[in-house]
Amino acid sequence: NAGVTQTPKFQVLKTGQSMTLQCAQDMNHNSMYWYRQDPGMGLRLIYYSASEGTTDKGEVPNGYNVSRLNKREFSLRLESAAPSQTSVYFCASTRLASGAGVYEQYFGPGTRLTVT
Amino acid sequence: KNEVEQSPQNLTAQEGEFITINCSYSVGISALHWLQQHPGGGIVSLFMLSSGKKKHGRLIATINIQEKHSSLHITASHPRDSAVYICAVIVQGAQKLVFGQGTRLTINP
């Protein structure tokens, strides 16, 4: 299994450009998440998808859109990039941990985005 | 005030020392994660626990649900343990993690 994969690994955008970050998991997980990580801020949830066909806003959704294309794929789109969106973006997915009823999360390798 | 607080924020120690990183939280949780992030690298889950204690090699994680506190211990620390350690809680009734700000650990040879 590849686990959680993300593309691209690095990206530089000019202010106002758009792009889509791709995420895929091959673990048959129901729930998928997009986080951003900024120095001194910790990880913050942008959007999540509890199951195929549903998406919900997280803590910092402004300036982003998401698509849960199918069970495997969850993409994050920046329609008009701003310097404040310079960050490292992580995708994650969860499965139900057996017996405990809680959720173990698996993270992708991250995408380092710079907006100039 | 953050729902998840870690201490210390930065920790530097010599190889071989016993390391403790603390995590306190203010919400009801169903479980707690300890995560490790190496410089320039991805995030790996070290432990997920909802009670008691877990041990993997030189790493030990404990949680006290009544006190809303967890600790991560590293015995016989090594320079390869240098990383950011992140505490994250699964809020009761939610499918989302809430993260601490991380503890940057540096182990000098």
Side-chain angles (χ1 to χ4, degrees):
Chain A
N1 287 350
V4 181
T5 56
Q6 289 181 236
T7 55
K9 285 189 168 49
F10 300 94
Q11 183 72 49
V12 179
L13 293 177
K14 292 188 185 332
T15 296
Q17 287 185 316
S18 62
M19 78 161 295
T20 299
L21 281 64
Q22 307 285 354
C23 174
Q25 52 88 12
D26 60 1
M27 297 175 282
N28 202 36
H29 289 174
N30 287 320
S31 301
M32 298 184 73
Y33 304 77
W34 276 106
Y35 299 99
R36 60 178 288 173
Q37 185 179 40
D38 302 294
M41 299 289 292
L43 283 148
R44 292 182 292 169
L45 181 65
I46 305 170
Y47 270 94
Y48 69 104
S49 171
S51 61
E52 187 179 353
T54 69
T55 60
D56 287 284
K57 293 179 180 179
E59 186 183 351
V60 288
N62 291 346
Y64 305 96
N65 284 300
V66 290
S67 296
R68 183 73 182 267
L69 304 168
N70 47 55
K71 193 171 187 180
R72 289 187 65 249
E73 298 172 291
F74 188 39
S75 62
L76 178 72
R77 183 158 178 85
L78 286 70
E79 291 291 352
S80 179
S84 61
Q85 294 177 306
T86 293
S87 188
V88 181
Y89 292 85
F90 288 94
C91 177
S93 68
T94 67
R95 68 172 173 87
L96 184 65
S98 60
V102 295
Y103 301 89
E104 187 171 356
Q105 269 204 0
Y106 295 82
F107 290 83
T111 295
R112 189 173 295 274
L113 175 67
T114 302
V115 183
T116 61
Chain B
K1 185 171 166 26
N2 292 338
E3 291 174 310
V4 181
E5 296 275 356
Q6 287 185 237
S7 63
Q9 289 189 6
N10 294 283
L11 178 57
T12 300
Q14 291 299 122
E15 185 173 354
E17 286 189 36
F18 181 81
I19 302 299
T20 296
I21 299 170
N22 295 301
C23 175
S24 297
Y25 52 91
S26 58
V27 294
I29 70 168
S30 52
L32 181 144
H33 278 264
W34 280 102
L35 309 167
Q36 182 191 55
Q37 184 175 29
H38 279 281
I43 299 169
V44 175
S45 178
L46 298 173
F47 294 102
M48 185 181 65
L49 64 166
S50 54
S51 65
K53 178 179 173 177
K54 285 191 176 179
K55 184 175 188 293
H56 290 160
R58 295 180 295 105
L59 300 177
I60 304 164
T62 63
I63 188 167
N64 185 319
I65 296 291
Q66 286 72 32
E67 294 187 3
K68 295 188 174 178
H69 182 269
S70 176
S71 294
L72 176 68
H73 305 285
I74 305 174
T75 62
S77 60
H78 190 276
R80 65 175 175 266
D81 297 325
S82 298
V84 175
Y85 291 85
I86 303 169
C87 172
V89 301
I90 302 169
V91 178
Q92 252 173 358
Q95 290 192 22
K96 298 179 283 185
L97 289 178
V98 178
F99 296 85
Q101 291 187 336
T103 295
R104 184 174 298 278
L105 174 65
T106 303
I107 305 295
N108 293 319

